[in-house]
Amino acid sequence: MARGYYEPSSAARVLETEEDFWQSQRQRLVVEEERSAEERNRRRRRKQHSRRNQQKALLMSRGYVAFLSFAVIITCITAGYYIKLQAEVLEHMRSIASLEASVNNIKFTNDADEKRLYSVVDLQEIRDEAISLGMGYADPDRIVYYSVEHPDYMTQYSEIP
């Protein structure tokens, strides 16, 4: 930079004529109109595209309808079979409860009959009568022990000595 010379800087304003001003305004308006037109076109294309997608989504082919119908039929059959099985299980549970009630009733009756029989029989009187007829308690030398292969029963083939 030499001393004494003037250099134009960016801070200095360049004056614009009125004609240049209006021309720049017209150019700005044209650019803005082009942008808004492009934006409108983009929106219109987007709407058309979304309408086409909606129409495609609403249209169902015969194969798809057949598949959905088959799936609904299978689901209904499965649900019906499940309900049938559930009803059978419930019926079996009711019959089991009825049988258990009858078993408990029979046990109660048997216990009552057993108590009635034991109350009628006097064991002391039976013991006294047996002793009077010559029966007595077994001596240790008269007791015979047997080993049994099957503990639930024993077969006797001869007289016990």
Side-chain angles (χ1 to χ4, degrees):
M1 232 183 350
R3 227 170 192 214
Y5 288 100
Y6 173 75
E7 290 184 20
S9 68
S10 63
R13 284 183 132 184
V14 176
L15 291 178
E16 187 172 44
T17 63
E18 193 174 328
E19 186 179 307
D20 291 339
F21 172 75
W22 288 115
Q23 188 177 2
S24 67
Q25 288 294 330
R26 272 187 242 119
Q27 285 178 346
R28 268 192 230 130
L29 284 175
V30 169
V31 169
E32 284 179 15
E33 285 178 13
E34 287 175 356
R35 285 184 189 158
S36 65
E38 286 177 15
E39 184 64 30
R40 279 189 302 245
N41 285 338
R42 267 192 240 123
R43 284 184 194 149
R44 191 177 69 240
R45 281 188 301 238
R46 218 179 280 144
K47 283 183 181 179
Q48 287 174 350
H49 186 66
S50 65
R51 278 192 200 123
R52 273 183 289 187
N53 283 344
Q54 287 175 350
Q55 288 174 350
K56 283 181 185 178
L58 292 177
L59 294 176
M60 291 190 279
S61 67
R62 288 184 177 182
Y64 187 61
V65 170
F67 167 74
L68 289 178
S69 301
F70 181 73
V72 167
I73 290 170
I74 293 297
T75 303
C76 290
I77 290 171
T78 304
Y81 186 69
Y82 177 74
I83 290 171
K84 178 185 168 230
L85 285 178
Q86 196 173 21
E88 288 177 1
V89 167
L90 185 63
E91 183 62 33
H92 286 299
M93 289 176 66
R94 286 182 183 157
S95 67
I96 288 171
S98 171
L99 291 173
E100 285 178 346
S102 66
V103 165
N104 285 335
N105 189 17
I106 291 171
K107 281 183 180 180
F108 177 75
T109 305
N110 283 347
D111 289 343
D113 289 344
E114 186 180 15
K115 286 180 183 178
R116 185 177 50 81
L117 287 175
Y118 281 136
S119 67
V120 170
V121 175
D122 184 12
L123 295 178
Q124 186 64 35
E125 183 180 328
I126 292 174
R127 181 181 161 273
D128 291 341
E129 185 67 29
I131 290 175
S132 70
L133 291 173
M135 192 174 193
Y137 287 105
D139 294 330
D141 59 337
R142 297 199 59 175
I143 298 175
V144 178
Y145 294 99
Y146 294 94
S147 63
V148 180
E149 292 177 18
H150 302 289
D152 57 344
Y153 70 94
M154 182 171 112
T155 306
Q156 178 179 346
Y157 293 107
S158 64
E159 244 350 274
I160 297 177

